[in-house]
Amino acid sequence: MPTDAHPGPLRVLVFGAALRAESVNARLASLVARLVSDTGANADLAGMREFTMPLFDGDVEAAEGLPEGALALRDRLELCDAFVISSPEYNASVPGVLKNAIDWVSRVRPQPFKTKHAMLVSASPSMVGGNRGLWALRVPLEHLGTRVYPDMFSLAEAHQSFTEDGLLASAHLQQRLTDTVTGFLSLVEADVRYVCLQRRWYEFLGDGTEAAVTQRAED
């Protein structure tokens, strides 16, 4: 069995999910992209304004097909091995513009979120750091088959947490974010680079490693 199914550097889409140009989540996405690049992986930094799309409407989809913004985001997802979303929190939940993008892209076949690895981060001026929104964001992504990394990172009081060179003012938080990104990429590398470590789902307790892979339900 081959042991190296992915000889090149890992490809990671880092997606800032806020529309506002000066959003703290755009700054956090930029920092994550820098940390990804520091590991030797390729970081594709993107922002929500690059993917304009209307509110999801089944009639629009039937009449006009998928909007160009949704197809462009699909293309970027398909080129990556994993993705990171830096998302604001609106009213303790997912921003509508991000949920709308997920809904549109989920209509593509084959469905591009399925089996992709994802890491979720957030930044907010509040003391919660946007963490409640990340818990809500896990729900649609995991429903679509995304392997969401258990360890999330939320930056509280983010409006005063960055240095002029884009790092975190707290050395402790900077190290924690670095460790989180490194741990996430190690998992991604094990899953996409080494075929012998690919995950398998079994339907019966007696199934063994030679059994056929059980199809997931997100098709």
Side-chain angles (χ1 to χ4, degrees), residues 86-139:
S86 180
S87 175
E89 174 187 288
Y90 292 172
N91 296 316
S93 191
V94 185
V97 66
L98 175 57
K99 180 60 165 58
N100 185 59
I102 292 171
D103 290 342
W104 269 118
V105 175
S106 72
R107 302 294 293 172
V108 177
R109 294 296 179 271
Q111 201 268 95
F113 290 108
K114 181 182 176 181
T115 71
K116 289 284 187 187
H117 287 275
M119 188 178 90
L120 305 182
V121 301
S122 62
S124 170
S126 76
M127 293 299 294
V128 182
N131 187 258
R132 295 167 299 187
L134 295 187
W135 283 107
L137 179 55
R138 296 183 72 99
V139 175

Side-chain angles (χ1 to χ4, degrees), residues 3 5 10 117 147 183-199:
T3 58
L10 292 178
H117 287 275
R147 299 168 180 172
F184 171 63
L185 294 181
S186 294
L187 178 64
V188 175
E189 182 175 31
D191 191 60
V192 305
R193 193 180 299 281
Y194 303 110
V195 222
C196 58
L197 297 180
Q198 284 182 354
R199 297 184 182 188

Side-chain angles (χ1 to χ4, degrees), residues 50-168:
E50 298 177 50
F51 309 105
T52 303
M53 55 194 90
L55 292 175
F56 179 77
D57 184 332
D59 290 338
V60 171
E61 181 187 13
E64 304 174 17
L66 295 170
E68 301 234 346
L71 294 174
L73 181 52
R74 180 276 314 269
D75 291 344
R76 302 278 276 276
L77 282 167
E78 287 187 341
L79 288 172
C80 74
D81 298 306
F83 63 93
V84 180
I85 298 178
S86 180
S87 175
E89 174 187 288
Y90 292 172
N91 296 316
S93 191
V94 185
V97 66
L98 175 57
K99 180 60 165 58
N100 185 59
I102 292 171
D103 290 342
W104 269 118
V105 175
S106 72
R107 302 294 293 172
V108 177
R109 294 296 179 271
Q111 201 268 95
F113 290 108
K114 181 182 176 181
T115 71
K116 289 284 187 187
H117 287 275
M119 188 178 90
L120 305 182
V121 301
S122 62
S124 170
S126 76
M127 293 299 294
V128 182
N131 187 258
R132 295 167 299 187
L134 295 187
W135 283 107
L137 179 55
R138 296 183 72 99
V139 175
L141 291 175
E142 290 179 334
H143 171 76
L144 292 169
T146 303
R147 299 168 180 172
V148 182
Y149 192 56
D151 194 4
M152 303 183 292
F153 179 87
S154 296
L155 182 64
E157 299 185 314
H159 60 297
Q160 55 189 20
S161 295
F162 290 93
T163 63
E164 289 186 4
D165 59 354
L167 299 176
L168 298 183

